[in-house]
Each structure stands twice: as C-alpha cells, then as structure tokens.
Amino acid sequence: MSLNDFIKQLDDLVESASKRFEDAINQTDHQVLEETRVEFLGAKSGKLKEAQKGLGKVAKEDKPIAGKRFNEVKTRLEELFQAATDVITGGSKKGNAEAIDVTLPGLRPRLGHIHPITQTIDELKDIMGRLGFTAVEGPEIEDDWHNFEALNIPLEHPARDPLDNFYLNLAAASHGGGNQLLRSQTSTVQIRVMENNEPPIRIVSLGRVYRPDEIDATHYAMFHQIEGLLVDTNVTMADLKYVLRLFASSYLGGDVEIRFRPSFFPFTEPSVEVDMRWQDTWLEFGGAGMVDPNVLKAVGYDPEKVTGFAFGLGVERLCMRRHGINDIRYLYDSNTKFLAQF
Ligand code: FA5
C-alpha cells in the first residue's frame, strides 16, 4: 500500500468518525454513542484496528511517517469519542474540559422542507381567503350519507361501486348504506358546512381524498382537492367563472384563460369540466357547476330562495402545472433530492 493511500484511508476514517459521533450527539443517545465507539475504536474489529493493518503494508522507509499519522488519528478518534461522551452525559467533567475542541466547526442543524403540496395548499387557501372564502376542514373517514347520498348519488350509482372506493367494511359496501369509507372527494365538506350553517355560505376546503385508481403519471391513489362552495341569493354561472378565472390567474400568474365544457356530476346542475389554458394547451383541472336543487333540499335549504355554485379541482394538477412537474409520483416517492428543490 502506498503512503498516500494509507493517509487517504486515515483521513476518510476521521471524516466518517466525525460525522457519526456528531450524529450520536444530535440524537443524545448513549446506545448510538456506544455503537459508534465499537464501530471505530472497538478492540477486535473496529475501523481503527482495520486501518492499523494497512500500516504493516506500507513501504519500510514510509513507516515512520505512516506510524506518526496513525497515532494522531487514533488520538483524534479518542478525542471525538470523549467529546461526544461529555456532551451526551451533560457537559464536560471537571479536569476533562480540554477534551472538547472548541475550534471544531459547529454542528449544522439539518433543515427540513415544506412539501410542495403543503406549500400549494397554503398558497391556494391564501388566494381564496383574499376572495372572501373561509377555509374549513372535514373528516377523511366519511359516512356514505356525506360522500354520496346527500350529494344526490343514490345507492345504485356506479360511483359507489366497492371497486372504486376504499370502504372500511367491504362486505357491507355491497349491501348499501350505513358504511364508512375514505372520502373519494372533498365535496363531502359542502354537505357538512350546509348542514350546520345558514346561507350565505362562502367556503373553501382543501384536503386528502382517496381512490383505488391505477397509479400513473397523473393519477395517485391518494391525492388532494380544493373544494369551493358559494351559496347566496342570485348566484349564477357567471359568478363561478369569474371566481375560477381570478383564482387561476392568481395561482398560475398572468391572465389565464379558462374554459367550461359541459359535463355531469349528480350534485351540480348544470355541470362543467374546468379547463385552463397553459402554454397553448387546454388542461382539465376539475369539475364545477351550480349546486343541484336536490342537494340544497337534502340540507334543508329552499332552492327557490337560494342558489349556489361549487367546484372541485385537483391540487396536484395545479402544483404540477405551476412547477412544470411531469409525473405525480415524484411528489410521493419520498425522493428527497427532488423535494429539496422546493
Ligand atoms: C370530483 O371529484 C368532483 N367532486 C368535483 C366537483 C366538485 C364537481 C364540485 C362539481 C362541483 P373528479 O372526479 O373529476 O370530480 O375529480 C376532480 C379532479 O381531481 C380531477 O380533474 C383531477 O384534477 C383530480 N383527480 C381525480 N382523480 C385523481 C387521481 N387519481 N390522482 C390525482 N388527481 C386526481
């Protein structure tokens, strides 16, 4: 072994030992400290012991330098262990204070990142707040009244199929009502709010929803929606379009064009798909429409007196457009390198 290789090996050893003892200090854990001591200073097979074997392999004329360096490294490792012991056992013991090398660089705290979806949610709440919509939350485990029935989705409707939902009790799901499920849409919150409040209503709700969809670049089995609901006198589709356009422009920047395509949702009439124009293509972001009179009746409102609009958009789709992310899986595959960019 060349002298250079031997010294490089020793330098690496000091570097990795510094990191590991630092970890032990960060965790303030005696067990980790002891494991680290054994790993580096263990008499039988510690890494220092391993490195010592290299000493026998350097050329004879290099031995004095190699030996000196080896002893320095040994002392350094013992100091690191002593310093870590002192910190973990609550400060240096009397007479041993010099074991802490105050010239060592400080321990850099590791900073986490707010997940891009959480950032998006915060921003969307803020935008809708400025438009006068109050943020509310609803439960992720729902009953079929709020997820379906009150939303005008009767028992025989295909959206209630056990294969399209995460029911908590699969056997009961095939027999109909009285079951619980992981909510498949945030529209449930519309019902919860209207049941407990009188118009005018102006709320927004952001949260997780679950569907056993096949996972691909644009679908995940857990995703987030932003739900908006406004109920008042004389509310029209024009109000819906105005609010969605302001919302899209505020989030995506510039004067974003939006387009309504005729569609169907049991809880809105008429219903539309909402597309937004982005870099010369139209992209679907969600559904919307005027709250169906049957829904207003189900929560005890008089559809002759009040009208309302509702919309539900995919938060991931919005976040992905804004940041140019082309695969939803990046957001959830705990790819810390990817997430650290946000
Ligand atoms: C709904 O969920 C309706 N509740 C929306 C609505 C609300 C209509 C209020 C009318 C009034 P839809 O199933 O189309 O609609 O889903 C809305 C959006 O959620 C989709 O456009 C898409 O952006 C997003 N989305 C749906 N499935 C997934 C998935 N598996 N992964 C990621 N995003 C999804």
Side-chain angles (χ1 to χ4, degrees), residues 118-135:
T118 311
Q119 291 183 29
T120 307
I121 287 174
D122 290 346
E123 197 174 336
L124 298 181
K125 261 190 210 162
D126 198 51
I127 292 170
M128 291 307 292
R130 275 184 267 136
L131 296 175
F133 287 73
T134 307

Side-chain angles (χ1 to χ4, degrees), residues 274-292:
V274 184
D275 297 341
M276 294 178 191
R277 203 171 162 80
W278 175 267
Q279 293 170 347
D280 289 333
T281 37
W282 287 103
L283 296 156
E284 183 200 309
F285 282 89
M290 300 305 292
V291 181
D292 193 292

Side-chain angles (χ1 to χ4, degrees), residues 25-45:
I25 291 175
N26 283 340
Q27 295 175 43
T28 341
D29 188 334
H30 288 277
Q31 174 81 22
V32 177
L33 176 64
E34 176 56 13
E35 282 163 17
T36 312
R37 185 193 67 76
V38 172
E39 180 183 342
F40 289 97
L41 293 163
K44 275 193 194 140
S45 55

Side-chain angles (χ1 to χ4, degrees), residues 18 25 120 123 155 171-172 215 222 231 243-244 255 270 294 297 332:
S18 306
I25 291 175
T120 307
E123 197 174 336
L155 194 53
I215 292 175
M222 181 284 303
V231 183
V243 166
L244 282 175
D255 190 12
N294 284 342
K297 278 187 218 151
Y332 296 120

Side-chain angles (χ1 to χ4, degrees), residues 76-142:
R76 184 76 195 108
L77 258 51
E78 282 162 0
E79 280 173 353
L80 284 169
F81 168 60
Q82 187 58 51
T85 309
D86 288 347
V87 174
I88 290 175
T89 52
S92 56
K93 290 181 211 92
K94 258 200 186 139
N96 218 359
E98 58 278 10
I100 292 182
D101 182 351
V102 292
T103 64
L104 278 175
L107 302 176
R108 197 184 311 129
R110 251 176 247 134
L111 291 182
H113 290 258
I114 294 179
H115 193 280
I117 288 298
T118 311
Q119 291 183 29
T120 307
I121 287 174
D122 290 346
E123 197 174 336
L124 298 181
K125 261 190 210 162
D126 198 51
I127 292 170
M128 291 307 292
R130 275 184 267 136
L131 296 175
F133 287 73
T134 307
V136 295
E137 287 191 9
E140 288 178 25
I141 296 179
E142 261 299 1

Side-chain angles (χ1 to χ4, degrees), residues 151 184-188 190 209-216 218-228 263-265 267-268 270-274 284-291 309-318 320 328:
L151 286 164
S184 61
Q185 50 183 349
T186 43
S187 300
T188 52
Q190 292 184 33
V209 299
Y210 304 83
R211 293 181 193 176
D213 286 351
E214 193 158 330
I215 292 175
D216 62 21
T218 50
H219 293 85
Y220 218 74
M222 181 284 303
F223 59 100
H224 297 73
Q225 289 187 332
I226 169 170
E227 189 86 15
S263 185
F264 174 79
F265 293 99
F267 37 94
T268 45
S271 302
V272 292
E273 297 287 343
V274 184
E284 183 200 309
F285 282 89
M290 300 305 292
V291 181
F309 70 67
F311 62 86
L313 314 179
V315 172
E316 280 76 3
R317 303 256 165 110
L318 286 160
M320 287 164 73
I328 194 171

